[in-house]
Structures are given as structure tokens and as C-alpha cells.
Amino acid sequence: MSEDTNRVLTLSASERENVKKTLWEAARQKALSCRQCPLSETRSKVVFGDGDPDSKLMFIGEGPGADEDAEGMPFVGRAGKLLTQILTAAGISRQDVYITNIVKCRPPENRVPSPQETVLCNKHLQTQIMLINPALIVLLGNTPTRWIMQTNEGITKLRGRWYDWRGIRVMPMFHPSYLLRNASSKEGSPKHLTWIDIQEVKRAWDEVRGK
């Protein structure tokens, strides 16, 4: 074990918390000033994330839309308001989880991020995951599901089950924008399945927190 590792392990809880805050702010500033991909040329604001960086529950979407680009916050448009409603209905406070996206800048016309953009932005996402150290990650839609799980399978086949990813349990769920395009709430509909899935997420989160 290295000397640096030993030094970290001997830090007090408050010292570790201060180190994390310093690293988190450095990661945020690095993302805010990032110019490595073409998305930086058309963005209004970088959308780093929102919520509690100490949470054991993390949500990852695809990328910012127009409202998010304008405000610099994830999931604040119509899809974001629906996500908040879903969380609230399941007994999950948005302030108690952490929400981010695969890419931190809006793709023009809300298109799917390109492989190049996803690869170049991945360092920001991986730093967030490393510092948050969540027990559970919910992947909202096809793009984060395929990127994180490195699969070509679609969300319809994968949703609603837990998978192991680097020792973290991950669950794919429908993106709320997809639910806006599929209004039915009848049994077996995307909205109905999402309600089942978010209740399982709440159950697992309660288990992680010892509730």
C-alpha cells in the first residue's frame, strides 16, 4: 500500500469530507471550462448536475435540452418536471439524490450525443461517479444504458432489473421524455412499467440506507 493511500486512510471523517469537497469543486470547474468537443461551441451553459453529491442513489440521463442549457441545471424542462413528479410519488426527494447526464452540454436540436462527444465527456461523468460512490444508479433511457452497460440491447428489454456494474447496482428505466410521448397509463404501458420500476428503486434505496 502506497504512502499516499495510507495517508488518505488515516484521515478523519471531517478531513475526508473536506478533501471530497475540494475534489468535487475542482471537477465541477473543469467541466464548466471544458472545450474539448464541438458541443462547447453551441452551448449556453454547462450542465454539471444537481442534488446531493453524498447520496447513494444517482440518476444518469442523456444530455441537456433547451431549458437545461438555459438554466445550467439538469431535468428542469417538461421531462424534468415529470421526473420530479415520479420521484415525489415514490417518496424520493429530488434533493436527496444526484442527477446528471452522459454529456454536460446540449447537443444541437436535442439529438443523441455522438460517440466522440460521449467519449470526450466521459471523464467528467466517471469523476462524478467516483466521488459520489453511489450504491445504486438509475439509467434513464437508451443512451446512458448502452454507454454504461456497453450493450446494444434496447431499454425495453433491459428496464426494470438490477445489473452489476463495477460493484454498483444499476437499473435502466424509460427516460421521462419517452413517457411524455406515450401518455397511456394502462397496465403494461411505459408509464405503468416506470411506476413499478421506481417503486423498486425506492425499495432498494431504503435497503441501502437501512430503512
Side-chain angles (χ1 to χ4, degrees):
M1 190 176 293
S2 71
E3 182 179 343
D4 287 343
T5 302
N6 275 321
R7 189 178 296 116
V8 170
L9 291 176
T10 57
L11 293 176
S12 67
S14 62
E15 287 172 329
R16 287 196 298 272
E17 181 180 351
N18 288 333
V19 168
K20 178 178 176 178
K21 287 181 178 178
T22 299
L23 293 173
W24 184 263
E25 182 57 23
R28 193 178 75 87
Q29 290 299 327
K30 190 170 184 179
L32 293 179
S33 63
C34 182
R35 294 283 175 182
Q36 289 204 328
C37 89
L39 295 182
S40 65
E41 299 171 7
T42 56
R43 74 186 182 213
S44 295
K45 291 184 179 178
V46 174
V47 183
F48 187 65
D50 181 44
D52 181 3
D54 294 317
S55 179
K56 289 300 179 182
L57 176 56
M58 186 174 185
F59 289 77
I60 302 175
E62 178 178 287
D67 293 305
E68 291 77 16
D69 183 53
E71 295 189 31
M73 296 284 284
F75 286 91
V76 293
R78 289 181 64 222
K81 288 180 172 61
L82 179 55
L83 175 62
T84 301
Q85 290 172 7
I86 292 168
L87 295 177
T88 301
I92 300 172
S93 170
R94 178 167 169 150
Q95 287 70 39
D96 291 338
V97 303
Y98 195 79
I99 303 174
T100 190
N101 286 300
I102 289 289
V103 296
K104 311 306 183 191
C105 300
R106 182 195 181 195
E109 307 302 322
N110 293 345
R111 61 164 172 76
V112 175
S114 71
Q116 177 198 28
E117 292 158 357
T118 305
V119 168
L120 289 173
C121 209
N122 188 55
K123 61 181 178 294
H124 301 303
L125 177 65
Q126 296 302 325
T127 299
Q128 287 176 308
I129 294 173
M130 177 188 69
L131 291 174
I132 294 171
N133 191 28
L136 309 168
I137 296 178
V138 177
L139 305 171
L140 297 169
N142 271 319
T143 300
T145 296
R146 287 173 172 168
W147 177 250
I148 291 293
M149 296 180 62
Q150 291 295 289
T151 180
N152 290 320
E153 294 287 355
I155 189 72
T156 301
K157 183 173 182 179
L158 296 174
R159 55 138 293 274
R161 287 178 287 168
W162 292 109
Y163 302 86
D164 179 76
W165 180 75
R166 302 180 185 177
I168 300 170
R169 284 187 285 170
V170 300
M171 179 189 284
M173 275 178 46
F174 290 120
H175 194 284
S177 63
Y178 180 73
L179 302 182
L180 290 173
R181 300 192 299 270
N182 294 268
S184 173
S185 298
K186 68 180 181 180
E187 186 173 354
S189 68
K191 281 190 174 181
H192 176 254
L193 296 175
T194 296
W195 177 239
I196 294 173
D197 294 348
I198 197 64
Q199 289 181 91
E200 168 57 22
V201 170
K202 177 61 161 58
R203 183 207 63 78
W205 192 39
D206 285 344
E207 181 181 79
V208 165
R209 298 181 297 165
K211 293 190 174 183

